[in-house]
């Protein structure tokens, strides 16, 4: 293997690594957004349940 072939092989490996890192960042961003959406959904459910419980308790009296 010549030095040029070796350098080209290293450059190709670095390009693949850069692509893999970009994909990992994308996956982390999607995971982060999904987690935030799930937290917002859970908070909404808890708030709705609390409001319904309080309102139904007030009107049953």
């Amino acid at each position: 293997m010549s030095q040029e072939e070796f350098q080209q092989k290293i450059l190709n490996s670095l390009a693949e690594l850069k692509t893999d890192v970009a994909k990992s960042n994308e996956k982390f961003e999607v995971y982060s957004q999904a987690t935030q959406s799930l937290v917002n959904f859970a908070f909404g459910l808890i708030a709705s349940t609390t409001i319904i419980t309080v309102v139904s308790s007030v009107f049953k009296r």
Side-chain angles (χ1 to χ4, degrees), residues 1-59:
M1 181 182 308
S2 70
Q3 186 175 2
E4 288 178 9
E5 290 174 337
F6 179 73
Q7 288 175 350
Q8 189 60 41
K9 200 171 189 182
I10 295 297
L11 289 174
N12 289 342
S13 295
L14 288 174
E16 288 178 24
L17 181 61
K18 187 176 180 181
T19 302
D20 288 346
V21 169
K23 287 180 184 176
S24 293
N25 287 343
E26 251 180 58
K27 288 179 183 178
F28 179 75
E29 187 176 325
V30 169
Y31 172 77
S32 178
Q33 289 173 351
T35 302
Q36 186 62 44
S37 295
L38 185 62
V39 168
N40 289 343
F41 178 69
F43 180 75
L45 285 176
I46 292 168
S48 298
T49 305
T50 303
I51 290 170
I52 290 170
T53 303
V54 168
V55 168
S56 65
S57 294
V58 167
F59 285 115

